[in-house]
Amino acid sequence: MENIITSKDNPIIKLYQKLSSSKKERLQYGLFVLEGLRIVEDALKENSSITHLIITKQAHEKFGSNIFQADLRDTKIIVISNELGNKISSTDTTQGIFAVCRIPVQKKMNFKENGRYIILYGLQDPGNAGMIIRTADALGIDGIIMSNSCDLYSPKVIRSTMGSVFRTNIFIENNTEKLFEILDVNKINTSAAVIDTDAESINICGFSGKQAVFIGNEGNGLPKEVSVRCNRCITIPMNGSINSLNAAMAAGIIMWELKK
């Protein structure tokens, strides 16, 4: 077995902890972190660039040296003590498998004919963002645009996507004017998801051509200045006294209707 690292002052361990806790550090280094066997496997399957693979002594003994059937020639593998693994873990019961991964260079947004897109505008809950990405992957949504939302590469978002972050077309555009310019140039029909009885009901409004639906902040919804710039406002009809849904649940219903 390779030399086992036990010190939290090891440069790679210090880097991992910086990336895990700080968006600023992630942007500065162009790196983010992964934790868990499944998500690291998903990253490798999608040819994501993993620079460092960090495995605890216990995980190394359990899974062996050939834990991943992948080309790891460009990946530095280090073995750490179980205690150090527990310290750097962001879960209660760690599997002892961690990785440092390069943030991919954002590609140009190419919109498919009759494509279906979701725009997360001002969404701040990492769990919601991750769940929406996972649902979009499951339903075959053509792309997600994140605008003024939580950090896509935070550990909580990455963990909540359960690997879908590597299989889904995700774009980031925080400039609202530029975002609408892109949508206009590409002739995207835009809908604002709102809580408003005057809005068009999602189950009868119909979706034809290229479509993008804006999902707003969990507590405040979409800013008025954003919703009025969309081609229309749509809403999910609800029974009884219920007047709102969790953002991820609402997005799931909207994506289902988009793909019908």
Side-chain angles (χ1 to χ4, degrees):
M1 187 181 292
E2 302 175 40
N3 290 332
I4 298 173
I5 293 169
T6 59
S7 173
K8 65 182 184 350
D9 293 323
N10 175 273
I12 301 304
I13 299 303
K14 289 175 75 173
L15 173 64
Y16 183 95
Q17 291 184 296
K18 282 182 182 179
L19 298 173
S20 181
S21 61
S22 169
K23 177 182 178 180
K24 180 181 176 182
E25 300 288 350
R26 289 191 287 272
L27 291 175
Q28 179 180 328
Y29 287 98
L31 300 167
F32 66 105
V33 299
L34 309 172
E35 180 180 351
L37 175 62
R38 172 70 182 276
I39 199 161
V40 173
E41 282 180 333
D42 285 336
L44 290 168
K45 283 177 188 174
E46 298 301 323
N47 297 314
S48 297
S49 181
I50 290 181
T51 63
H52 294 84
L53 191 58
I54 304 167
I55 306 174
T56 63
K57 178 176 179 288
Q58 186 176 28
H60 191 277
E61 291 170 348
K62 179 179 179 180
F63 298 110
S65 300
N66 299 317
I67 181 173
F68 301 109
Q69 302 302 312
D71 184 354
L72 296 173
R73 283 176 294 182
D74 296 326
T75 302
K76 183 173 177 58
I77 302 172
I78 65 173
V79 180
I80 64 175
S81 67
N82 301 331
E83 292 75 18
L84 192 53
N86 288 329
K87 282 182 182 177
I88 68 171
S89 173
S90 58
T91 62
D92 292 333
T93 53
T94 181
Q95 291 179 297
I97 298 168
F98 312 86
V100 176
C101 192
R102 284 196 179 91
I103 294 175
V105 176
Q106 179 161 286
K107 295 175 284 190
K108 181 183 177 184
M109 283 185 246
N110 290 316
F111 294 91
K112 294 170 58 177
E113 197 63 37
N114 296 316
R116 299 289 184 259
Y117 302 89
I118 288 290
I119 300 171
L120 306 183
Y121 193 96
L123 202 77
Q124 293 304 316
D125 183 271
N128 278 335
M131 178 61 75
I132 292 170
I133 292 168
R134 186 182 176 199
T135 307
D137 181 24
L139 294 178
I141 294 296
D142 296 296
I144 293 175
I145 301 172
M146 297 183 72
S147 186
N148 301 290
S149 291
C150 55
D151 180 18
L152 172 60
Y153 295 103
S154 76
K156 286 184 179 179
V157 173
I158 295 295
R159 187 165 61 248
S160 297
T161 71
M162 297 187 71
S164 290
V165 68
F166 302 113
R167 298 184 293 269
T168 309
N169 292 318
I170 305 173
F171 308 95
I172 299 170
E173 180 50 72
N174 292 320
N175 184 307
T176 304
E177 289 299 321
K178 190 171 180 183
L179 173 58
F180 274 100
E181 182 183 315
I182 291 168
L183 296 169
D184 290 342
V185 166
N186 287 278
K187 297 181 170 56
I188 309 296
N189 298 303
T190 55
S191 300
V194 298
I195 300 170
D196 188 343
T197 54
D198 293 329
E200 294 183 50
S201 178
I202 190 170
N203 54 355
I204 58 173
C205 65
F207 296 97
S208 60
K210 301 175 189 172
Q211 292 283 343
V213 179
F214 279 75
I215 307 291
N217 178 268
E218 292 86 353
N220 302 316
L222 288 169
K224 188 72 173 177
E225 61 268 23
V226 170
S227 61
V228 297
R229 292 184 66 172
C230 293
N231 299 128
R232 63 180 178 180
C233 289
I234 61 173
T235 193
I236 299 171
M238 301 179 211
N239 291 321
S241 59
I242 300 296
N243 62 5
S244 66
L245 291 171
N246 168 275
M249 177 63 74
I253 294 169
I254 289 167
M255 288 188 280
W256 177 263
E257 291 292 333
L258 270 174
K259 291 296 292 185
K260 282 171 74 172

